[in-house]
Amino acid sequence: AAAAAAAAPSPLAEKEEPPELGEEQAKDTGDETSTAGTSERRAGQKFARSRWAQAALLTRRELLCTARDPVATYLRAGAIVGIAFLLGLVIRVRGGEEVLSRVNTLMLLCCVFALLSFPAVTAYQAGTPLVVREVASGVYAALPYYCAATIVEVPLLAILVGIYCGITYWLVGFSTSFGAFVYFALAVTSFSLLCMSVAQACGVAFAHSRAASPALAVYAAILAYSLLMGGFFVRLANMPTWTQWMVRTSPVRYVFEGLLLNEFGVGLETTAQRDLQDRFQFWLSGAAKWVDLAVLACAVVMSRLLTYVLLRHATVAKA
């Protein structure tokens, strides 16, 4: 026992000096230090280029990717042109059914553009992990990327919607007033942007999921709620009193109401107008359609901001 106690190191003994590092170990340590410094710089969002330069380069990249993607350009344009001609030719009728056909067309176009936004869910869900990795590696920041994507996506969608409106509006036989056509195009474009933004937000929110079904299910649920509360399928008078406020939470309600007011006016001179007012109960105010358009514009801005916040949160969580 005494021998074992003598052989055991004393707790008061001096601390042994660490062995000297070889050249390779010293090099590895230096690399680790350099990497740690780089990570700290990246965590501080200190990029080699300014935000404006990043946005310019990313806009150019997005334009090239869009031009080289046949699905995003030619196929979408062809589908929209085909749907516009088909819708205009099928619903174009005469006589007593003219009012009903125009009402059906207004509701159907809301459904068309809401359904055409489904690909945006999977596109953003698949692309967000790459964006998160590139932001984490210090290639660019999240804000310039999202601004570049918006600069490319919004004009392209506006052009496609303009083509759709230019074909459908005159084939169906809507109001011949140029001002009514301008409002029609603005309302449909705003609603299309809103649907695309909500779809992108769903894709970004579920970017961590390997399957696309959760994001698609959430967007489908939002779409179903908006359509049911849009005032077309369920009359407001038939809804319970305590649920009637939910109608005003549906974006479809605002675009549908605005388009009805734009097409048929706010007066009650004809039987058709009185029937429409009794069924859909839209506002009897001359400025109501512009209020609806303003609500849609605010919803578009809020949905775009929500998508950016979700994307920013994903990049910060990765860092």
Side-chain angles (χ1 to χ4, degrees), residues 107-145:
M107 189 61 200
L108 185 58
L109 69 88
C110 295
C111 299
V112 167
F113 281 101
L115 294 174
L116 287 177
S117 298
F118 265 101
V121 178
T122 55
Y124 261 65
Q125 185 181 17
T128 299
L130 176 61
V131 175
V132 170
R133 288 195 299 269
E134 290 180 343
V135 171
S137 62
V139 179
Y140 52 78
L143 181 59
Y145 166 79

Side-chain angles (χ1 to χ4, degrees), residues 208-278:
H208 62 279
S209 177
R210 296 183 179 181
S213 54
L216 292 173
V218 171
Y219 179 71
I222 296 174
L223 177 58
Y225 172 83
S226 299
L227 292 175
L228 289 176
M229 295 298 167
F232 183 82
F233 297 103
V234 181
R235 293 181 59 181
L236 183 63
N238 295 337
M239 297 177 60
T241 306
W242 61 275
T243 61
Q244 291 183 1
W245 64 270
M246 299 173 64
V247 172
R248 290 298 169 186
T249 63
S250 169
V252 176
R253 171 70 180 187
Y254 294 97
V255 64
F256 186 52
E257 181 180 75
L259 292 176
L260 282 176
L261 292 172
N262 182 63
E263 180 63 21
F264 300 104
V266 297
L268 298 176
E269 293 83 4
T270 65
T271 303
Q273 289 174 326
R274 286 193 293 269
D275 292 341
L276 289 174
Q277 194 276 333
D278 180 66

Side-chain angles (χ1 to χ4, degrees), residues 270-292:
T270 65
T271 303
Q273 289 174 326
R274 286 193 293 269
D275 292 341
L276 289 174
Q277 194 276 333
D278 180 66
R279 177 176 180 179
F280 301 110
Q281 298 187 10
F282 48 82
W283 297 348
L284 296 179
S285 171
K289 69 176 185 179
W290 297 107
V291 174
D292 291 330

Side-chain angles (χ1 to χ4, degrees), residues 187-208:
V188 176
T189 302
S190 300
F191 181 70
S192 303
L193 286 173
L194 178 59
C195 293
M196 183 184 69
S197 301
V198 173
Q200 292 174 348
C202 293
V204 175
F206 290 90
H208 62 279

Side-chain angles (χ1 to χ4, degrees), residues 82-99:
I83 293 173
F85 274 111
L86 181 63
L87 183 63
L89 294 175
V90 169
I91 302 184
R92 183 177 179 86
V93 293
R94 294 286 187 264
E97 297 182 356
E98 183 180 355
V99 173

Side-chain angles (χ1 to χ4, degrees), residues 28-64:
D28 293 339
T29 305
D31 292 343
E32 292 177 359
T33 305
S34 176
T35 303
T38 304
S39 301
E40 292 177 357
R41 290 194 298 270
R42 289 170 183 168
Q45 297 297 316
K46 296 179 180 180
F47 300 94
R49 295 179 179 272
S50 65
R51 296 294 194 273
W52 293 105
Q54 294 176 32
L57 292 174
L58 290 170
T59 301
R60 182 174 179 272
R61 189 182 76 170
E62 290 294 319
L63 284 172
L64 292 176

